[in-house]
Amino acid sequence: MTIVLREEPLRSEPGETLDPQNWDELRAQGHRMLDDMFDYIAHVRQRPVWSPIPDDVRARFRAELPRRPSDLAEVYREFSDNVVPYATGNVHPGFMGWVHGGGSAVGMLAEMLAAGLNANLGGRDHIPVEVERQIVEWTRAMFGFPQGASGIFVTGTSMANLLAVLVARTAALGQSARQHGIGEGGALLTAYTSKAAHGCISKAMDIAGLGRDALRMIATDQCHRLDVAALRRQIAADREAGMRPFLVVASAGTVDIGAIDDLVALSALCREEELWFHVDGAYGALGILSPAIASRLAGIEQADSIALDFHKWGQVPYDAGFLLVRDGQQHRDAFAAPAAYLRRETRGLAAGSSWPCDLGPDLSRGFRALKTWFTLKTYGTERLGAIITRTCALAGYLEARILAEPRLELLAPVQLSIVCFRYRAADTNKVNGDIVIDLHESGIAAPSTTILDGQLAIRAAIVNHRIDTCDIDALISAVLEFGARRASAQDE
Ligand SMILES: Cc1ncc(COP(=O)(O)O)c(C=O)c1O
């Protein structure tokens, strides 16, 4: 082998790092930034929920790669002028779209501290990993899982569900599937979820190499809960046809209307049929913290795995998805992969095995656990549970206002804190779709839409802890105003 030496030696200037020459200046700038962000959160109600992005602002983010340094104050001014006013808006109490949490100033501070430590939680022996293990332990206790359960932070529940499918796949096929691929045995695997399940489940089947066709979408009852009898029949039919049922994914809070499947019946069926029982609790699982909701999650403690988002009802800033697995060994079996450069020791920084990288595909991992640890410790689970209860009460308030208003129509039973409704009009799907866009553009409120039985619904997901009755009242008034305008425009 020929080693080519450089002709010119590389020179290093003494003291040339990215740290500031003048820490006092950076400190003053940093304090301004922090104060501004506190002000932003404290006074967010005075802003529009969302603002359309002007062309010139969008164009600023098509700029050339910066080769020369800029002053931090100048970069921050650009952020203040061009990023802050055009953010998603989910910090705002008028934001009720999709299923977004509101975050908190405490979570923001923790995120800043985590960035300062710049810890890599792929592995090794340091307290940030212990902080994540602490959350695993707390989550294990929340759901009554046994000792030996394992867990891991991921971006969101889409990823947590994917990991769960992979753990269940390896449990069904054994380690050889990781080496040789899923093979003929894998081609026979079938999984089950309801028609109301989130689309990331079928995406997970696709990414796991099992294919979306192998996911049977079981019918639901009127309340959008998986029809357990239909599931039983489908499993029997698949066995009869020579398929290998291996996984049931239940929903604890469906994305459309917040329905909770019958987790007791499903866990019993999975035990009987020897199937992996996974619960997609992205939105609803943290309802376990609310005395008003917890009993409706009965059966979740029997799951083989649970996916959930601390960034939704847990109010942790994005992102903080989480997967909990009952049998930690099965979890490790799906992902652990030895490598010379990741050698484990019994002493020193490379000690502390097993490492989080043994529990998922990521090696480099940020310190998501810290903002969750700060949130759980600062507020406590009772207060977080009370917030969850309150969002459900606010959904009840919105439901009552809809039922009392003849121009509005409720489109689905309110089960947790999601309310689906519409303005009564001739071309109802068009009118209601336009109403939602009008709401966004007005900056008054930001619900989203979904389709229920072919009908477009205005969908208000009350997840953000800042939402109050005045925000619900503002939503109703604006829907009525925009609805009347849209309907009369149709008549003309
Ligand atoms: C039931 C359900 N599952 C999965 C997801 C996906 O979660 P994430 O957006 O955190 O990936 C969501 C998101 O709203 C959801 O409501």
Side-chain angles (χ1 to χ4, degrees):
M1 182 171 75
T2 318
I3 297 176
V4 181
L5 295 174
R6 291 177 194 277
E7 284 163 13
E8 288 262 329
L10 296 175
R11 264 197 296 276
S12 144
E13 299 298 331
E16 192 178 54
T17 76
L18 296 178
D19 286 333
Q21 298 285 323
N22 182 338
W23 279 99
D24 288 341
E25 266 176 27
L26 183 72
R27 188 184 307 273
Q29 178 64 42
H31 287 178
R32 266 197 298 279
M33 290 156 83
L34 191 58
D35 279 342
D36 288 354
M37 206 35 103
F38 283 138
D39 285 342
Y40 170 81
I41 299 173
H43 304 300
V44 71
R45 194 181 277 281
Q46 293 159 17
R47 292 171 165 267
V49 180
W50 177 84
S51 299
I53 306 167
D55 290 344
D56 64 320
V57 171
R58 200 184 295 275
R60 287 177 181 277
F61 296 89
R62 307 280 189 269
E64 294 283 304
L65 176 69
R67 298 179 64 82
R68 299 269 163 213
S70 300
D71 193 43
L72 173 61
E74 179 53 29
V75 178
Y76 177 60
R77 196 187 55 73
E78 268 200 65
F79 168 81
S80 302
D81 292 352
N82 300 319
V83 177
V84 173
Y86 308 107
T88 327
N90 53 309
V91 173
H92 195 290
F95 192 99
M96 301 172 198
W98 300 273
V99 186
H100 280 39
S104 76
V106 165
M108 171 188 87
L109 292 173
E111 191 75 316
M112 182 191 71
L113 301 177
L117 284 184
N118 193 23
N120 181 344
L121 273 78
R124 295 157 286 270
D125 196 22
H126 49 115
I127 283 294
V129 171
E130 292 298 341
V131 173
E132 180 155 345
R133 289 187 181 128
Q134 171 74 93
I135 308 284
V136 173
E137 183 53 25
W138 286 343
T139 312
R140 184 188 74 73
M142 258 182 229
F143 292 101
F145 269 34
Q147 296 285 342
S150 63
I152 187 166
F153 274 98
V154 289
T155 41
T157 290
S158 303
M159 189 55 84
N161 282 336
L162 169 61
L163 265 56
V165 169
L166 291 168
V167 176
R169 187 195 72 171
T170 305
L173 297 177
Q175 286 289 316
S176 73
R178 292 186 61 197
Q179 183 67 30
H180 306 299
I182 61 164
E184 288 177 10
L188 296 176
L189 292 182
T190 48
Y192 305 81
T193 196
S194 87
K195 284 190 159 60
H198 194 274
C200 66
I201 315 283
S202 86
K203 209 170 177 181
M205 291 290 287
D206 156 13
I207 299 169
L210 303 171
R212 291 200 292 263
D213 284 351
L215 181 66
R216 314 295 199 231
M217 310 296 291
I218 307 298
T220 52
D221 64 16
Q222 282 188 329
C223 292
H224 291 226
R225 288 177 305 220
L226 188 148
D227 178 340
V228 182
L231 170 62
R232 196 180 279 280
R233 286 193 297 276
Q234 183 66 53
I235 292 169
D238 282 333
R239 288 205 199 281
E240 184 70 28
M243 304 307 286
R244 260 184 83 182
F246 81 111
L247 165 70
V248 171
V249 180
S251 300
T254 55
V255 62
D256 276 333
I257 71 155
I260 302 174
D261 287 337
D262 184 342
L263 304 178
V264 171
L266 290 172
S267 71
L269 177 63
C270 287
R271 231 187 346 266
E272 198 184 307
E273 297 275 354
E274 297 186 355
L275 306 177
W276 189 277
F277 177 39
H278 174 67
V279 176
D280 174 357
Y283 156 49
L286 286 179
I288 202 84
L289 302 180
S290 157
I293 309 289
S295 61
R296 295 174 49 201
L297 292 165
I300 199 168
E301 72 288 349
Q302 301 295 333
D304 289 302
S305 50
I306 303 171
L308 62 94
D309 280 333
F310 283 105
H311 56 229
K312 290 189 165 77
W313 254 348
Q315 311 297 337
V316 173
Y318 280 82
D319 45 32
F322 192 83
L323 175 68
L324 184 70
V325 179
R326 170 175 296 275
D327 180 339
Q329 190 54 49
Q330 285 185 305
H331 191 175
R332 284 185 290 279
D333 285 350
F335 297 107
Y341 46 84
L342 295 175
R343 206 173 112 94
R344 315 297 159 90
E345 306 290 353
T346 53
R347 295 184 296 116
L349 181 52
S353 193
S354 67
W355 292 352
C357 65
D358 302 328
L359 302 173
D362 293 320
L363 178 53
S364 291
R365 307 176 59 249
F367 198 1
R368 292 186 183 101
L370 190 67
K371 57 194 172 186
T372 310
W373 185 80
F374 263 89
T375 301
L376 288 168
K377 279 182 77 77
T378 305
Y379 299 112
T381 55
E382 285 178 10
R383 184 140 178 234
L384 292 169
I387 293 284
I388 290 170
T389 307
R390 185 164 171 275
T391 59
C392 294
L394 285 166
Y397 175 72
L398 174 54
E399 178 187 23
R401 289 235 33 203
I402 292 162
L403 292 174
E405 172 51 66
R407 286 170 289 175
L408 300 178
E409 180 184 3
L410 194 68
L411 288 184
V414 178
Q415 310 200 26
L416 293 172
S417 67
I418 296 180
V419 183
C420 291
F421 67 106
R422 68 178 171 187
Y423 184 87
R424 294 183 200 268
D427 187 359
T428 169
N429 286 2
K430 170 85 177 87
V431 165
N432 282 281
D434 284 343
I435 290 172
V436 169
I437 298 171
D438 291 344
L439 288 167
H440 294 178
E441 291 182 343
S442 71
I444 296 170
S448 53
T449 61
T450 193
I451 305 286
L452 300 173
D453 296 328
Q455 313 287 343
L456 187 137
I458 302 175
R459 175 170 161 279
I462 299 166
V463 180
N464 180 339
H465 60 101
R466 297 186 184 93
I467 299 174
D468 211 337
T469 46
C470 61
D471 303 298
I472 308 280
D473 292 339
L475 170 72
I476 293 279
S477 305
V479 168
L480 293 175
E481 183 192 332
F482 295 137
R485 207 181 294 161
R486 287 284 163 190
S488 70
Q490 253 188 350
D491 295 341
E492 282 163 13

